[in-house]
Amino acid sequence: MDDLTLRDFVAALEELYPPDTAQSWDRVGLVSGDLDQPVRRIHLAVDPTLAVIEEARAEAADLLITHHPLLLRGVHSVATTSAKGASVTSLVVGDVALYVAHTNADVASPGVSDALAAAAGLDGTEPLVMEEGRPLGRVGELAAPVTLRRFAELLARALPSAPGGLRVAGDPDAEVRRVAVLGGAGDDQFDAVRGCGADVFVTADLRHHPASEAREEARGGTPYLIDAGHWATEWLWLASARDELLRTLADRGDTVEFHISSLCTDPWDFVVDARTAPEPGGRPES
C-alpha cells in the first residue's frame, strides 16, 4: 500500500475543517511542506511554539497540525533572529509540514466547542451564537443540577492541568444546570450567553472590565463565569481531530502514527496566591 502523502491529509483536513468557514481575519491551511511528501507520523498541538516544533522533530513527525496559526500577522523576514523566523526555519530544516485549523475548527461539528461541551458533561447541545454565518460555541444541559463549586471541580478534572487553573465568579453554592461553552477567548459573547439563559459560561481569557461588567449586569446572579484557560479549553479538540482524520482515512489510516502533545503552551508558568504570599521579610500564616 502506498504511503499517504501530505496532499491526502490536506484534502482530509479541508473536508473536515473547510478553510472558507474560517473567520475573515484568520489565516488557516498549509503553512509549510511539500504536498507530495509522505506522511507517516503526525503531531497535534494547540500552538506552533518553538518548543512544540522541537517536540515534533524529536518525534520524527512529518506533519504538525496545530489549532493556532504561526503566521497570523504579516512578517517581512524569516531570519532566525526572530522567534517566527526560527520556527519557520526549524520546520523546513526538520522537514516537518505545518497545517493550521483555527476558527474553521471552532465552528466545525465536531469541533473545538463540542469537545469542551463533552468535557463539561453537556447533553443536547446547540450553537451559542452565529458568527459570520457559522455556529460558534455550544449551549447544553447537565444531566442533573449541581452547585457551581461542584461543577467547577468536575470540569477541572476533565481538563488538562495548567498553571492558571480555573477562575470562577459566582456563589459557589448556587445551583447550575444550563451551561454555555466557548473554547478560547470568549468575553465578547456575553450578550449571547445572557440570551440563551445559561447559568454559567465556560470560556477563557476573561478580561477585567468585560467580566466585571457582566457580573454587574447579573446583579450577583446568573450567568456565573468560569475562565478555564485558553490552552486547556482548546487542547481537548486534538483527540477529536485525530479521531476524525482516522475516520476520514479509514481505509488507509492504519499506516500513520499520531501523537498528541501534552506540552502546555499557555504563557504562564506558575501562580502565587496573593492571599497566602509572605509579607516582605515575613512568612505566610500556617
Side-chain angles (χ1 to χ4, degrees):
M1 182 181 293
D2 293 337
D3 284 330
L4 287 164
T5 66
L6 180 58
R7 189 185 307 276
D8 296 317
F9 279 96
V10 168
L13 286 161
E14 293 190 349
E15 177 183 333
L16 293 168
Y17 313 111
D20 63 0
T21 64
Q23 293 189 19
S24 56
W25 51 264
D26 204 3
R27 297 293 180 268
V28 300
L30 188 63
V31 178
S32 67
D34 180 343
L35 287 172
D36 294 321
Q37 71 185 72
V39 173
R40 302 181 185 90
R41 291 188 177 183
I42 295 178
H43 200 65
L44 297 104
V46 174
D47 294 283
T49 62
L50 284 165
V52 164
I53 293 169
E54 289 308 305
E55 184 181 53
R57 291 182 61 176
E59 292 285 337
D62 304 299
L63 171 60
L64 171 60
I65 300 172
T66 66
H67 183 50
H68 291 147
L70 174 63
L71 303 173
L72 182 58
R73 297 173 180 83
V75 297
H76 304 288
S77 169
V78 291
T80 58
T81 50
S82 72
K84 296 295 185 186
S87 298
V88 171
T89 298
S90 185
L91 288 165
V92 173
V93 170
D95 201 22
V96 180
L98 172 62
Y99 190 94
V100 172
H102 190 207
T103 54
N104 48 333
D106 288 334
V107 301
S109 183
V112 173
S113 288
D114 294 298
L116 181 55
L122 304 187
D123 293 322
T125 58
E126 58 190 40
L128 169 63
V129 67
M130 300 296 289
E131 284 284 324
E132 298 186 11
R134 307 290 177 182
L136 186 65
R138 297 291 184 268
V139 183
E141 305 275 339
L142 299 172
V146 296
T147 66
L148 178 61
R149 182 187 297 278
R150 181 59 176 163
F151 174 70
E153 290 170 346
L154 292 171
L155 181 64
R157 293 180 190 175
L159 294 173
S161 178
L166 276 65
R167 298 186 298 168
V168 185
D171 178 357
D173 297 320
E175 187 176 273
V176 299
R177 183 162 193 172
R178 186 163 175 81
V179 181
V181 301
L182 178 59
D187 66 12
D188 59 343
Q189 298 298 339
F190 286 130
D191 285 344
V193 173
R194 284 187 285 266
C196 76
D199 299 315
V200 59
F201 181 33
V202 179
T203 188
D205 296 354
L206 293 178
R207 295 168 293 169
H208 176 87
H209 292 295
S212 178
E213 290 168 5
R215 295 302 299 139
E216 287 285 287
E217 290 295 333
R219 306 297 199 275
T222 62
Y224 306 119
L225 307 178
I226 297 181
D227 186 326
H230 203 122
W231 171 80
T233 57
E234 295 184 327
W235 180 87
L236 299 164
W237 166 74
L238 302 178
S240 171
R242 174 201 60 198
D243 294 345
E244 289 302 300
L245 280 170
L246 285 170
R247 181 186 60 78
T248 303
L249 299 167
D251 57 338
R252 301 172 68 190
D254 58 355
T255 64
V256 179
E257 296 178 27
F258 287 84
H259 181 263
I260 294 176
S261 175
S262 59
L263 183 64
C264 178
T265 48
D266 274 344
W268 315 112
D269 294 311
F270 64 93
V271 174
V272 176
D273 187 340
R275 293 171 296 180
T276 57
E279 295 293 333
R283 300 177 62 185
E285 296 180 5
S286 59

